[in-house]
Amino acid sequence: MAPSPYFFLVIFLGVALVFPVLPLVLAWMWRRFFQPPKPGAAKNATYECGIESLGEAQIQFHSQFYLYAIIFLIFDVESIFLIPFAVAFTGLPFGAFVAILVFLLLLLEGLVWAWSKGCLTWAK
Amino acid sequence: MSEPIDQNLKSELQKQGIWVTSMQELYNWGRKNSIWPLQFGLACCAIEMIATAASRYDLARFGGEVFRPSPRQADLMIVAGTVTKKMAPQIVRLYNQMPDPKYVISMGACAISGGPFKQGYNVLKGIDRYIPVDVYIPGCPPRPEALLHAFMELQRKIDEQKLTGANKAPHLQADRPSEFPVPAFGAHDLEPPANPDLFHPPVSERLSG
């Protein structure tokens, strides 16, 4: 009986499992039997380029930063959409034109909001 | 310590095409030919270090081209340049974070003694005040050939390390420390100014008359 044409997939699966797991097991065994066991406080500490780590890694940003998010959307993300819009301008159907106008209006509203909040005045 | 294999027998066997080795030789041979340095430079010596690693001088011929950006993967710390007192605690902490076995090359006059900035208020007068140094290279800055020479000296040093016995390699001795105290910033200097367990400068007697 001829072997199944998909038999090589099983072989591949086996190779795909053994190939990464075997070096890991060998490395673990090497560590287990040959590593000079000298742990320490600094050695087990978080690596931050030689500086002692300070505080928690899981910090939350305050909701006050929403103004930065609006400004980022207006001046950074908008340009990503505007450049392809400008390139494909002549070939656009009417629906797409309206869609990008709505998008621009929404961002314009954000700009007006940020302006009225005084975000665009340079802090002295 | 007597050699585990008789050298005459070994060379005799080698003529017959049989290569005999010991675990210690194999271990040292492997380690000395893949020394991974920690990737950082402090001052102008770092430019020479970069030149050593680049194609013209090619540190890769000695197995030391894999500069690691993390101390977890590094075997060798090349202190390349002026160690300011601001930087010294970080250097010691990075050394502490390297896994054993670890080696230090003190590259250039500054790393050895403070060099031309020895009289300066902000320069550490030699990194060997806080961490043990294996090879010193004089020069300001040392040429890449000098760093290659230091690297080969380190390889020779690794080759002579013993795996067993009373004078086995320091990283295998349980009572030898792997971490050294990190100095703190004091009011006028680092506290302490040197590690007294480590720093034993030679006392030179002045000739009278």
mmCIF file of all heavy atoms in Angstrom, chain A residues 30 36 38 40-43 45-47 49-52, chain B residues 69 71-72 93 96-98 100 170-171 173 176 178-179:
data_model
loop_
_atom_site.group_PDB
_atom_site.id
_atom_site.type_symbol
_atom_site.label_atom_id
_atom_site.label_comp_id
_atom_site.label_asym_id
_atom_site.label_seq_id
_atom_site.Cartn_x
_atom_site.Cartn_y
_atom_site.Cartn_z
ATOM 1 N N TRP A 30 22.420 21.733 29.881
ATOM 2 C CA TRP A 30 23.739 22.331 30.054
ATOM 3 C C TRP A 30 23.741 23.269 31.255
ATOM 4 O O TRP A 30 24.631 23.251 32.095
ATOM 5 C CB TRP A 30 24.131 23.076 28.781
ATOM 6 C CG TRP A 30 25.518 23.644 28.867
ATOM 7 C CD1 TRP A 30 25.849 24.891 29.265
ATOM 8 C CD2 TRP A 30 26.733 22.969 28.601
ATOM 9 N NE1 TRP A 30 27.209 25.042 29.255
ATOM 10 C CE2 TRP A 30 27.780 23.896 28.853
ATOM 11 C CE3 TRP A 30 27.062 21.678 28.177
ATOM 12 C CZ2 TRP A 30 29.112 23.545 28.684
ATOM 13 C CZ3 TRP A 30 28.388 21.360 28.008
ATOM 14 C CH2 TRP A 30 29.395 22.267 28.257
ATOM 15 N N PRO A 36 27.981 27.575 36.407
ATOM 16 C CA PRO A 36 28.435 27.931 37.746
ATOM 17 C C PRO A 36 27.313 28.684 38.469
ATOM 18 O O PRO A 36 26.954 29.776 38.051
ATOM 19 C CB PRO A 36 29.638 28.831 37.501
ATOM 20 C CG PRO A 36 29.741 29.024 36.042
ATOM 21 C CD PRO A 36 28.657 28.310 35.353
ATOM 22 N N LYS A 38 25.900 31.090 40.454
ATOM 23 C CA LYS A 38 26.206 32.285 41.243
ATOM 24 C C LYS A 38 25.151 33.357 41.016
ATOM 25 O O LYS A 38 25.428 34.378 40.380
ATOM 26 C CB LYS A 38 27.585 32.824 40.856
ATOM 27 C CG LYS A 38 28.707 31.951 41.386
ATOM 28 C CD LYS A 38 30.014 32.695 41.336
ATOM 29 C CE LYS A 38 31.094 31.848 41.976
ATOM 30 N NZ LYS A 38 32.369 32.519 41.967
ATOM 31 N N GLY A 40 22.625 36.454 42.078
ATOM 32 C CA GLY A 40 22.832 37.595 42.961
ATOM 33 C C GLY A 40 21.742 38.619 42.751
ATOM 34 O O GLY A 40 20.975 38.528 41.787
ATOM 35 N N ALA A 41 21.724 39.605 43.619
ATOM 36 C CA ALA A 41 20.654 40.603 43.569
ATOM 37 C C ALA A 41 20.728 41.418 42.274
ATOM 38 O O ALA A 41 19.720 41.613 41.595
ATOM 39 C CB ALA A 41 20.770 41.535 44.771
ATOM 40 N N ALA A 42 21.927 41.888 41.931
ATOM 41 C CA ALA A 42 22.055 42.703 40.715
ATOM 42 C C ALA A 42 21.889 41.847 39.479
ATOM 43 O O ALA A 42 21.324 42.275 38.481
ATOM 44 C CB ALA A 42 23.411 43.402 40.692
ATOM 45 N N LYS A 43 22.390 40.595 39.550
ATOM 46 C CA LYS A 43 22.346 39.732 38.380
ATOM 47 C C LYS A 43 20.915 39.356 38.028
ATOM 48 O O LYS A 43 20.563 39.228 36.861
ATOM 49 C CB LYS A 43 23.162 38.469 38.672
ATOM 50 C CG LYS A 43 23.797 37.877 37.437
ATOM 51 C CD LYS A 43 24.505 36.624 37.767
ATOM 52 C CE LYS A 43 25.973 36.844 37.991
ATOM 53 N NZ LYS A 43 26.694 35.614 38.229
ATOM 54 N N ALA A 45 18.353 41.221 38.745
ATOM 55 C CA ALA A 45 17.533 42.425 38.624
ATOM 56 C C ALA A 45 17.218 42.711 37.159
ATOM 57 O O ALA A 45 17.840 42.160 36.257
ATOM 58 C CB ALA A 45 18.268 43.616 39.243
ATOM 59 N N THR A 46 16.262 43.591 36.950
ATOM 60 C CA THR A 46 15.891 44.000 35.597
ATOM 61 C C THR A 46 17.037 44.772 34.963
ATOM 62 O O THR A 46 17.652 45.617 35.610
ATOM 63 C CB THR A 46 14.649 44.904 35.658
ATOM 64 O OG1 THR A 46 13.695 44.292 36.517
ATOM 65 C CG2 THR A 46 14.042 45.097 34.293
ATOM 66 N N TYR A 47 17.316 44.470 33.701
ATOM 67 C CA TYR A 47 18.402 45.163 33.008
ATOM 68 C C TYR A 47 17.884 46.467 32.422
ATOM 69 O O TYR A 47 16.978 46.468 31.596
ATOM 70 C CB TYR A 47 18.970 44.285 31.902
ATOM 71 C CG TYR A 47 19.848 45.012 30.926
ATOM 72 C CD1 TYR A 47 20.984 45.668 31.368
ATOM 73 C CD2 TYR A 47 19.542 45.064 29.575
ATOM 74 C CE1 TYR A 47 21.794 46.349 30.486
ATOM 75 C CE2 TYR A 47 20.350 45.749 28.688
ATOM 76 C CZ TYR A 47 21.470 46.379 29.145
ATOM 77 O OH TYR A 47 22.262 47.054 28.273
ATOM 78 N N CYS A 49 20.242 49.083 31.215
ATOM 79 C CA CYS A 49 21.487 49.745 30.804
ATOM 80 C C CYS A 49 22.328 50.171 31.998
ATOM 81 O O CYS A 49 22.994 51.210 31.956
ATOM 82 C CB CYS A 49 21.188 50.938 29.916
ATOM 83 S SG CYS A 49 20.189 50.531 28.508
ATOM 84 N N GLY A 50 22.269 49.412 33.075
ATOM 85 C CA GLY A 50 23.111 49.704 34.224
ATOM 86 C C GLY A 50 22.460 50.609 35.248
ATOM 87 O O GLY A 50 22.996 50.776 36.331
ATOM 88 N N ILE A 51 21.329 51.197 34.905
ATOM 89 C CA ILE A 51 20.627 52.046 35.857
ATOM 90 C C ILE A 51 19.679 51.161 36.663
ATOM 91 O O ILE A 51 19.132 50.197 36.149
ATOM 92 C CB ILE A 51 19.796 53.133 35.123
ATOM 93 C CG1 ILE A 51 20.626 53.807 34.042
ATOM 94 C CG2 ILE A 51 19.225 54.143 36.097
ATOM 95 C CD1 ILE A 51 21.667 54.752 34.528
ATOM 96 N N GLU A 52 19.502 51.512 37.941
ATOM 97 C CA GLU A 52 18.546 50.767 38.755
ATOM 98 C C GLU A 52 17.126 51.072 38.278
ATOM 99 O O GLU A 52 16.784 52.229 38.055
ATOM 100 C CB GLU A 52 18.696 51.175 40.217
ATOM 101 C CG GLU A 52 19.670 50.308 40.977
ATOM 102 C CD GLU A 52 19.756 50.719 42.423
ATOM 103 O OE1 GLU A 52 20.043 51.889 42.688
ATOM 104 O OE2 GLU A 52 19.511 49.861 43.285
ATOM 105 N N PRO B 69 24.327 43.501 23.079
ATOM 106 C CA PRO B 69 23.766 44.697 23.711
ATOM 107 C C PRO B 69 23.201 44.442 25.103
ATOM 108 O O PRO B 69 22.645 45.348 25.704
ATOM 109 C CB PRO B 69 22.666 45.108 22.730
ATOM 110 C CG PRO B 69 22.284 43.849 22.056
ATOM 111 C CD PRO B 69 23.459 42.954 22.039
ATOM 112 N N PRO B 71 24.056 42.559 29.012
ATOM 113 C CA PRO B 71 25.079 41.867 29.796
ATOM 114 C C PRO B 71 24.743 40.393 30.028
ATOM 115 O O PRO B 71 25.623 39.612 30.341
ATOM 116 C CB PRO B 71 25.097 42.640 31.116
ATOM 117 C CG PRO B 71 23.782 43.291 31.189
ATOM 118 C CD PRO B 71 23.383 43.603 29.785
ATOM 119 N N ARG B 72 23.480 40.022 29.845
ATOM 120 C CA ARG B 72 23.094 38.615 30.074
ATOM 121 C C ARG B 72 23.784 37.671 29.113
ATOM 122 O O ARG B 72 23.909 36.489 29.382
ATOM 123 C CB ARG B 72 21.585 38.431 29.890
ATOM 124 C CG ARG B 72 20.743 39.490 30.522
ATOM 125 C CD ARG B 72 20.624 39.295 31.988
ATOM 126 N NE ARG B 72 19.607 40.184 32.519
ATOM 127 C CZ ARG B 72 19.645 40.702 33.714
ATOM 128 N NH1 ARG B 72 20.666 40.431 34.507
ATOM 129 N NH2 ARG B 72 18.693 41.465 34.139
ATOM 130 N N ARG B 93 27.526 47.936 37.986
ATOM 131 C CA ARG B 93 26.254 47.205 37.959
ATOM 132 C C ARG B 93 26.155 46.330 36.715
ATOM 133 O O ARG B 93 25.691 45.199 36.777
ATOM 134 C CB ARG B 93 25.084 48.177 38.027
ATOM 135 C CG ARG B 93 23.794 47.503 38.473
ATOM 136 C CD ARG B 93 22.682 48.481 38.741
ATOM 137 N NE ARG B 93 22.891 49.233 39.961
ATOM 138 C CZ ARG B 93 23.048 50.560 40.005
ATOM 139 N NH1 ARG B 93 23.021 51.262 38.895
ATOM 140 N NH2 ARG B 93 23.212 51.163 41.145
ATOM 141 N N ASN B 96 28.162 43.351 37.314
ATOM 142 C CA ASN B 96 27.453 42.441 38.205
ATOM 143 C C ASN B 96 26.380 41.661 37.464
ATOM 144 O O ASN B 96 26.074 40.518 37.827
ATOM 145 C CB ASN B 96 26.794 43.229 39.341
ATOM 146 C CG ASN B 96 27.799 43.735 40.342
ATOM 147 O OD1 ASN B 96 28.948 43.302 40.335
ATOM 148 N ND2 ASN B 96 27.379 44.643 41.189
ATOM 149 N N GLN B 97 25.804 42.275 36.444
ATOM 150 C CA GLN B 97 24.706 41.619 35.740
ATOM 151 C C GLN B 97 25.190 40.617 34.705
ATOM 152 O O GLN B 97 24.389 39.882 34.143
ATOM 153 C CB GLN B 97 23.813 42.664 35.082
ATOM 154 C CG GLN B 97 22.974 43.409 36.104
ATOM 155 C CD GLN B 97 22.015 44.385 35.481
ATOM 156 O OE1 GLN B 97 22.192 44.830 34.369
ATOM 157 N NE2 GLN B 97 20.976 44.719 36.219
ATOM 158 N N MET B 98 26.497 40.590 34.440
ATOM 159 C CA MET B 98 27.004 39.612 33.483
ATOM 160 C C MET B 98 27.088 38.242 34.141
ATOM 161 O O MET B 98 27.448 38.138 35.307
ATOM 162 C CB MET B 98 28.394 40.032 32.991
ATOM 163 C CG MET B 98 28.359 41.141 31.959
ATOM 164 S SD MET B 98 29.932 41.942 31.757
ATOM 165 C CE MET B 98 30.941 40.623 31.141
ATOM 166 N N ASP B 100 28.560 34.484 34.964
ATOM 167 C CA ASP B 100 29.892 33.892 35.050
ATOM 168 C C ASP B 100 30.053 32.835 33.967
ATOM 169 O O ASP B 100 29.093 32.192 33.617
ATOM 170 C CB ASP B 100 30.072 33.240 36.431
ATOM 171 C CG ASP B 100 30.302 34.290 37.486
ATOM 172 O OD1 ASP B 100 29.295 34.812 38.001
ATOM 173 O OD2 ASP B 100 31.452 34.575 37.766
ATOM 174 N N PRO B 170 38.170 30.987 38.819
ATOM 175 C CA PRO B 170 37.441 31.708 39.877
ATOM 176 C C PRO B 170 35.920 31.514 39.811
ATOM 177 O O PRO B 170 35.267 31.458 40.848
ATOM 178 C CB PRO B 170 37.796 33.174 39.618
ATOM 179 C CG PRO B 170 39.017 33.164 38.817
ATOM 180 C CD PRO B 170 39.075 31.881 38.078
ATOM 181 N N HIS B 171 35.379 31.392 38.591
ATOM 182 C CA HIS B 171 33.922 31.282 38.506
ATOM 183 C C HIS B 171 33.419 29.933 38.988
ATOM 184 O O HIS B 171 32.228 29.759 39.212
ATOM 185 C CB HIS B 171 33.445 31.556 37.080
ATOM 186 C CG HIS B 171 33.885 30.529 36.076
ATOM 187 N ND1 HIS B 171 35.085 30.602 35.426
ATOM 188 C CD2 HIS B 171 33.272 29.420 35.634
ATOM 189 C CE1 HIS B 171 35.194 29.565 34.606
ATOM 190 N NE2 HIS B 171 34.126 28.824 34.721
ATOM 191 N N GLN B 173 34.747 28.500 41.750
ATOM 192 C CA GLN B 173 34.919 28.463 43.201
ATOM 193 C C GLN B 173 33.708 29.118 43.865
ATOM 194 O O GLN B 173 33.381 30.259 43.567
ATOM 195 C CB GLN B 173 36.201 29.198 43.588
ATOM 196 C CG GLN B 173 37.444 28.532 43.023
ATOM 197 C CD GLN B 173 38.703 29.291 43.360
ATOM 198 O OE1 GLN B 173 38.704 30.122 44.260
ATOM 199 N NE2 GLN B 173 39.778 28.993 42.645
ATOM 200 N N ARG B 176 34.180 32.505 45.809
ATOM 201 C CA ARG B 176 34.596 33.731 45.130
ATOM 202 C C ARG B 176 33.372 34.529 44.723
ATOM 203 O O ARG B 176 32.439 33.974 44.139
ATOM 204 C CB ARG B 176 35.436 33.386 43.889
ATOM 205 C CG ARG B 176 36.781 32.811 44.228
ATOM 206 C CD ARG B 176 37.735 33.867 44.758
ATOM 207 N NE ARG B 176 38.202 34.729 43.693
ATOM 208 C CZ ARG B 176 39.299 34.499 42.981
ATOM 209 N NH1 ARG B 176 40.029 33.442 43.219
ATOM 210 N NH2 ARG B 176 39.672 35.334 42.037
ATOM 211 N N SER B 178 30.729 36.886 42.777
ATOM 212 C CA SER B 178 30.424 37.156 41.379
ATOM 213 C C SER B 178 29.957 38.598 41.188
ATOM 214 O O SER B 178 30.005 39.124 40.096
ATOM 215 C CB SER B 178 29.337 36.191 40.925
ATOM 216 O OG SER B 178 28.749 36.611 39.734
ATOM 217 N N GLU B 179 29.501 39.196 42.281
ATOM 218 C CA GLU B 179 29.071 40.589 42.227
ATOM 219 C C GLU B 179 29.906 41.406 43.204
ATOM 220 O O GLU B 179 30.320 40.900 44.240
ATOM 221 C CB GLU B 179 27.597 40.709 42.630
ATOM 222 C CG GLU B 179 26.655 40.066 41.651
ATOM 223 C CD GLU B 179 25.208 40.334 42.000
ATOM 224 O OE1 GLU B 179 24.958 41.243 42.807
ATOM 225 O OE2 GLU B 179 24.350 39.639 41.466
#
